[in-house]
Amino acid sequence: MKLTTTKTLYLRSRNGKQTKARLGGKSAPKRSRQVPGSTLRCNDLERFYRDRYGALLPDDDAGRADALIMLHHIYFRQAVDRPWLMNEWLNRCAPFIVGEEREAMIAAVFRRPMKYRADRLAQELGLTFARRQRLGITTIGAIDVTAEQRKERQKMKDTEQHAKRRRDAGRMTRHEYVTASLSKIAPWQVQGISRRTWYRRQKQAAEQAKTHYAADAPVPRISHALVTISLL
């Protein structure tokens, strides 16, 4: 009895790198790992706290309120040991919250976790649009710019970036494209004349193109033979 060994099938990418292939010769799909929204929100909060307070939160009511907001967001992270993450963050950024106060704060979060919308969280933190842009925060709103206004600004920014990419690639601008299309569809509008005048000029040009030269003056095609005979 002959034993057959199965070998892993590989394909090569454009760069020549070997990639595993499934049965049938098709390359295995690349799994794009997406960062959870709760993780992005925690990163934005920590960036904001570091910009406002520094490495440590202040030992006052404002610092405790901001620490509680962070604990609510850590609760929704995809982690096995969320209490350990909460204690680790408190030890690093709010070490003044210790003992029973810390235990009561963490228990309150687990008893009633809160989800914050982007604009509501911006109101709680007092985040302005200028600081939001400077820190690169994307998951928190702004107190001076509404969600609709931010959406319109982002749309304008995307349009400008798209136009810049087209210019860098040597593509036509919108004005050039409209002008070229208009010259093909309605050339009389480009020349600034009426449609009737444009067609009349086209007809006159076509008639002149049919005229042949004999002797010293242009004559129609029909009279070409007569002029030739008269010259002989």
Side-chain angles (χ1 to χ4, degrees), residues 17-196:
K17 185 178 179 180
Q18 287 185 346
T19 57
K20 288 185 178 180
R22 297 180 299 182
L23 184 63
K26 296 182 179 180
S27 58
K30 296 182 179 179
R31 296 181 179 179
S32 58
R33 181 176 179 271
Q34 296 182 354
V35 181
S38 57
T39 303
L40 296 176
R41 176 67 67 83
C42 289
N43 294 339
D44 286 346
L45 280 173
E46 192 158 358
R47 194 178 302 115
F48 173 76
Y49 290 159
R50 189 172 296 275
D51 181 73
R52 170 183 277 184
Y53 302 120
L56 300 177
L57 271 66
D59 187 1
D60 54 13
D61 294 339
R64 285 172 170 79
D66 290 341
L68 184 60
I69 291 175
M70 176 61 83
L71 294 183
H72 279 291
H73 286 86
I74 294 177
Y75 174 86
F76 293 100
R77 291 192 61 177
Q78 298 178 1
V80 178
D81 195 353
R82 289 172 292 176
W84 182 87
L85 286 179
M86 294 180 181
N87 282 285
E88 189 274 334
W89 186 85
L90 290 174
N91 291 333
R92 183 163 44 87
C93 299
F96 54 87
I97 304 177
V98 293
E100 295 181 355
E101 182 183 5
R102 177 181 295 191
E103 294 178 359
M105 185 178 294
I106 295 176
V109 171
F110 275 86
R111 184 169 56 253
R112 189 179 179 182
M114 296 177 59
K115 282 188 176 182
Y116 290 84
R117 293 183 178 273
D119 289 337
R120 180 192 171 188
L121 184 57
Q123 294 294 333
E124 294 285 342
L125 300 175
L127 178 61
T128 60
F129 185 77
R131 176 178 281 185
R132 183 179 187 269
Q133 292 294 102
R134 178 170 57 84
L135 298 178
I137 295 176
T138 58
T139 63
I140 308 175
I143 59 176
D144 51 352
V145 179
T146 62
E148 291 77 10
Q149 293 174 347
R150 294 196 303 271
K151 186 176 180 180
E152 290 296 328
R153 293 191 181 191
Q154 185 63 37
K155 187 183 296 184
M156 294 176 58
K157 184 179 179 180
D158 293 342
T159 303
E160 293 176 357
Q161 292 179 352
H162 181 67
K164 184 178 182 301
R165 287 194 297 266
R166 288 180 60 86
R167 289 194 300 269
D168 295 341
R171 303 290 182 85
M172 291 189 300
T173 62
R174 183 63 182 175
H175 178 71
E176 294 173 349
Y177 174 77
V178 172
T179 303
S181 302
L182 190 62
S183 62
K184 295 178 181 178
I185 300 174
W188 52 87
Q189 295 183 5
V190 179
Q191 298 179 12
I193 58 178
S194 64
R195 179 178 179 179
R196 186 174 181 179

